Amino acid sequence: MIQRDLSVLWHPCTQMKDHETLPLIPIRRGEGVWLEDFEGKRYIDAVSSWWVNLFGHANPRINAAVREQLDLLEHVILAGFSHEPVVELSERLIELTPPNLTRCFYADNGSAAVEVALKMSFHYWRNRGQPQKTKFVTLQDSYHGETLGALAVGDVALYKETYAPLLMQAFTAPSPAGCYANDGESYAEYARRQFEAMAALLEKHADELAAVIVEPLLQCAGGMRMYHPIYLSLLREACDQYNVHLIADEIAVGFGRTGTMFACEQAKISADFLCLSKGLTGGYLPLSVVLTTEEVYQAFYDDYIKLNAFLHSHSYTGNPLACRAALATLDIFAQDNVIENNRKLAQVMGDVTRPLRDHPHVGEVRQQGMVVAIEMVKDKATRQSYPWQERRGLRVYRYALEKGALLRPLGNVIYFMPPYVITPEQIQLLAEIALGGIEVATDD
Ligand SMILES: *Cc1c(COP(=O)(O)O)cnc(C)c1O
């Protein structure tokens, strides 16, 4: 199986030559938090299969919903046609999100949703007679996907730098993330201080700005960096003041990941565009959605010959099977008291990883709801990081696999972002494995 794979596949986000020494792991089945390979070895999926899985693999309730839909309708074009799952899902998403969001536009992956939000924002200003508003502001360390538009408004050098000649220019505001704060400075103080640069950018460039795009509270791919909600409150006010849209990319943080259903709730704000994907279908099928306001929708609503319509589409837009999986996922949220239960699990995640703070090669242990990140450093006192070439995180990855956990670090940052069906005992086991892995990875 491994040989067959390596002779025909090209894997995502992978230097394929690594597989000369790093074994590829074919998975035969999944159940709950567990993935099982062909030898019967099991791994706890501590990264929710790239942050998508919420309620475990082969979840009986989501399985049943998808199976039922399969016999009715697998797919239909969404232009000119409609279907029950997409209407019901839109109604429920509008119900769950702030009152200003009244319209759902679908795509089939997170990057595509970001492209939709960027294009819609630009196009809104154009339809409203302000075609000079063409630029976007992003945050340092942000990540919004890999397609060219999404990459252009991201700031992770590893993914972006190579393609710089192909990308539109965005303004980058300095990070609000508390991991950069001075000793003794709180996350809130640092966020306020860092907001001054954002405010200055908005004031100076308001005339040419379409939107600011952010990952609310938690910048995932940029190293699981967390910031205080005050930054979002200030940003919402300033966007209103300067007539600039706010795009909330909750593709990774939506659906309970940060402790509330949506991260923006913690700042009591609403965006003009809300991008959702990943956990939307419980990790079953590719689907994404951009929610926006009636104001935006109305700017496109006109006679056809004015050519103001949003002529954007993807083949699998609003796929019925994916929408059914999403509806089953929302049912679980509604029936199982998930947010409340996650609060207890998050408490356990915090408790079991607290001792790691004292480790001589751990710079910071940070947590936002159902995500804990542990940053390995070369020098604890100065926070000096290990050179990336040493690939210390990869050592943790290998160690964890041996011990039965899928922990896929981001550089030197080890993190847990497990499905919500994980148990306190399994969280304890993950902490032990992480500690062992960090010991092995930092002992020279
Ligand atoms: C994963 C991610 C994306 C991109 O989603 P894909 O489905 O991988 O294209 C965009 N934004 C954020 C915040 C993400 O974490």
Side-chain angles (χ1 to χ4, degrees):
M1 175 89 163
I2 293 172
Q3 261 327 305
R4 280 168 55 204
D5 177 300
L6 291 177
S7 57
V8 290
L9 266 90
W10 189 343
H11 287 267
C13 203
T14 299
Q15 171 49 262
M16 290 300 293
K17 190 165 192 285
D18 278 358
H19 284 308
E20 288 179 9
T21 52
L22 184 70
L24 183 75
I25 303 172
I27 292 298
R28 193 175 69 87
R29 60 188 292 275
E31 187 185 1
V33 296
W34 296 102
L35 295 167
E36 189 181 310
D37 72 14
F38 282 73
E39 267 94 61
K41 186 169 167 59
R42 302 205 303 164
Y43 308 87
I44 296 184
D45 188 353
V47 299
S48 297
S49 282
W50 254 345
W51 320 343
V52 299
N53 191 293
L54 299 187
F55 299 115
H57 296 279
N59 181 289
R61 283 189 271 179
I62 306 176
N63 285 4
V66 174
R67 248 187 228 121
E68 199 176 311
Q69 182 60 39
L70 194 54
D71 284 332
L72 273 177
L73 176 69
E74 78 304 328
H75 186 64
V76 63
I77 178 173
L78 197 63
F81 283 70
S82 190
H83 54 84
E84 174 82 23
V86 80
V87 174
E88 194 184 333
L89 179 59
S90 306
E91 289 169 349
R92 290 184 58 183
L93 288 172
I94 286 165
E95 184 67 34
L96 272 174
T97 52
N100 70 317
L101 300 173
T102 59
R103 294 283 166 180
C104 294
F105 189 98
Y106 289 87
D108 48 20
N109 66 75
S111 305
V114 169
E115 302 284 344
V116 165
L118 298 174
K119 284 175 71 177
M120 262 187 191
S121 172
F122 157 81
H123 199 162
Y124 167 89
W125 296 114
R126 186 185 156 89
N127 283 355
R128 285 280 186 246
Q130 294 191 260
Q132 80 291 352
K133 284 168 85 69
T134 60
K135 299 260 170 46
F136 299 93
V137 180
T138 184
L139 290 178
Q140 180 193 332
D141 301 321
S142 62
Y143 178 87
H144 298 291
E146 303 290 355
T147 54
L148 294 177
L151 201 57
V153 294
D155 185 52
V156 179
L158 181 63
Y159 308 136
K160 179 172 183 177
E161 233 164 48
T162 309
Y163 307 101
L166 305 183
L167 304 177
M168 68 174 169
Q169 285 286 320
F171 294 104
T172 307
S175 169
C179 57
Y180 295 117
N182 293 331
D183 280 345
E185 189 178 28
S186 73
Y187 267 49
E189 286 161 346
Y190 187 68
R192 276 185 187 281
R193 181 153 71 82
Q194 290 300 86
F195 187 75
E196 289 168 20
M198 172 65 92
L201 248 176
L202 287 170
E203 184 180 6
K204 180 151 182 237
H205 297 284
D207 285 349
E208 50 177 329
L209 290 180
V212 178
I213 181 167
V214 295
E215 291 162 273
L217 299 188
L218 169 59
Q219 297 176 297
C220 293
M224 295 295 164
R225 298 179 200 277
M226 299 159 191
Y227 61 91
H228 195 273
I230 187 69
Y231 191 88
L232 294 173
S233 312
L234 294 169
L235 182 58
R236 179 67 273 181
E237 268 173 42
C239 283
D240 288 340
Q241 183 185 346
Y242 293 111
N243 234 4
V244 174
H245 287 142
L246 178 58
I247 302 172
D249 175 353
E250 296 221 17
I251 288 166
V253 299
F255 300 103
R257 194 48 82 175
T258 64
T260 43
M261 190 63 170
F262 299 105
C264 281
E265 290 170 29
Q266 294 181 45
K268 300 188 174 62
I269 62 143
S270 179
D272 303 291
F273 299 91
L274 174 63
C275 302
L276 303 173
S277 187
K278 292 207 164 105
L280 173 60
T281 63
Y284 265 63
L285 288 156
L287 182 71
S288 64
V289 60
V290 179
L291 284 104
T292 191
T293 63
E294 209 56 22
E295 164 71 14
V296 169
Y297 178 75
Q298 289 300 336
F300 293 78
Y301 196 91
D302 210 336
D303 296 326
Y304 185 84
I305 54 158
K306 301 249 185 78
L307 291 180
N308 281 343
F310 190 59
L311 300 182
H312 179 112
S313 63
H314 297 284
S315 313
Y316 284 98
T317 288
N319 173 266
L321 294 169
C323 289
R324 267 293 167 229
L327 285 165
T329 301
L330 293 183
D331 284 344
I332 296 176
F333 274 105
Q335 293 160 9
D336 285 13
N337 218 3
V338 173
I339 301 293
E340 188 55 39
N341 190 42
N342 278 1
R343 226 161 263 153
K344 293 173 203 148
L345 290 173
Q347 173 97 42
V348 176
M349 284 167 64
D351 289 345
V352 299
T353 50
R354 196 156 297 122
L356 280 164
R357 288 181 187 180
D358 301 325
H359 191 280
H361 288 290
V362 170
E364 190 183 42
V365 178
R366 44 186 183 256
Q367 178 173 21
Q368 179 71 60
M370 289 297 286
V371 180
V372 171
I374 305 147
E375 182 151 4
M376 293 189 293
V377 290
K378 184 166 181 165
D379 187 317
K380 197 176 180 82
T382 63
R383 286 267 191 105
Q384 191 200 348
S385 41
Y386 283 110
W388 62 268
Q389 294 89 338
E390 294 177 8
R391 304 184 76 183
R392 305 250 170 188
L394 187 61
R395 301 188 203 174
V396 179
Y397 175 72
R398 283 177 191 272
Y399 176 90
L401 284 177
E402 219 171 273
K403 301 289 175 193
L406 163 49
L407 283 175
R408 193 179 201 274
L410 292 158
N412 293 322
V413 177
I414 321 299
Y415 67 91
F416 309 157
M417 192 158 169
Y420 305 159
V421 293
I422 196 164
T423 64
E425 294 72 30
Q426 289 161 344
I427 293 171
Q428 176 69 45
L429 177 60
L430 282 182
E432 284 160 23
I433 294 174
L435 174 60
I438 291 168
E439 290 288 338
V440 167
T442 61
D443 75 351
D444 64 334

